[in-house]
Amino acid sequence: MTTQKSHKLLMIPGPIEFEPAVLAALAEPTPSHVAPDFIEVFGRVLDNLRTVFQAPDGQPFVLAGSGTLAMEAAVANLLEAGDRVLQINTGYFSDRMAAICERSGAIITQVRAPAIGDVPALEEIQMALQQDHYTLMTITHVDTSTGVLTDVQTLAQMARSAHTLSVVDGVCSVGGEALPMAEWDVDVALTASQKALGVPPGLAIVMARPRALALFQGRTQPVASYYADWSNWLPIMQAYQSRKPAYFGTPPVNLVLALDVSLAQIIAEGMDARVARHIRLSEAVKAALTALGLGQAPARPAVAAHTLSAPYFPEGVDGAALLAKINAAGVVLAGGLHPAIRARYFRIGHMGAVSGADILAAVSAIEQGLRDVGYQFDAGSGLAAAQRVIEG
């Protein structure tokens, strides 16, 4: 995408840079949430979400809130006190999902990665599935704290074989990583607007497929969260899908208008092409980091996300000073988040409408920042490595 010269390039793992047409939708006169034109837009958004999630049999929920609300709405409606959850833990946001499940009274078994930047062994997960029955397996597709990508396809198959529902936290993956819900037999996936879907913060989005809805409809106790309760939202979503007015809580209408624009752009690009673009640009960033001598938090390329990169600061370099220098060069990057390594690494977001030009601008700023803090490297080596991948 082309960014305005009046602001610094935002290359963090969300919020991201947004397309001008998406931002323009936010400036539209705010319509009534029951106006016929808006009802048509919201209905189209719900239809198009099925396309983006690749879940033709899915039921989308679009709520005003953050990704954390999406996480809670995904599991609070499916869990009752005493239910068991198998948590596939790859970092900070896996810990958060476990905490959310515990609030619903669930009993959590965590299978943790052997080290930060890695994923749990499939054999260990299989053993856990054989030792108990779990209502849900919760999976963080991309943990934004570590840049680790989990093999959702394999894990969803394992869950299905064990008669366990799979819930995928796709906050940092949906719209950037491959996640064909129906093909992979994922039961629930969730995301937030400000990541690869390319809409400013404020929308929590959940897609639930038939087995999840059946489990919800068979509950014996009310959902503990009033706001997140699908009982309140399902009639609203169904009404908008039928192009009829309905009310439970006022939707963030301008954000829905913006989501309508972004989803149309995503579908026009095509899901396969969009994922391929994210892979190519991710490989360009990672090639640059390698050329510059920077290690990365993911243990190996096979478990590295394509929506962000998580490089370590060079030995002896003050991380805060480096990020400040990169910022002064016109690019905003994110510091570390995982508590165990927070001060040792930083994060580069590259998702949504990001372009090859954005990647090169970011790499150039990183090189400038490294020079300014006295790090020794071959000038231009990162840019050259990124350029080779982009031009591939």
Side-chain angles (χ1 to χ4, degrees), residues 327-352:
N327 186 294
V331 176
V332 181
L333 304 182
L337 180 61
H338 195 290
I341 58 172
R342 187 190 306 271
R344 294 175 52 203
Y345 78 117
F346 62 108
R347 294 173 299 146
I348 308 164
H350 35 78
M351 68 187 93

Side-chain angles (χ1 to χ4, degrees), residues 141-160:
H141 195 185
V142 171
D143 198 295
T144 321
S145 72
T146 56
V148 169
L149 177 70
T150 306
D151 182 358
V152 167
Q153 183 176 14
T154 298
L155 294 177
Q157 291 171 351
M158 293 171 68
R160 179 88 318 267

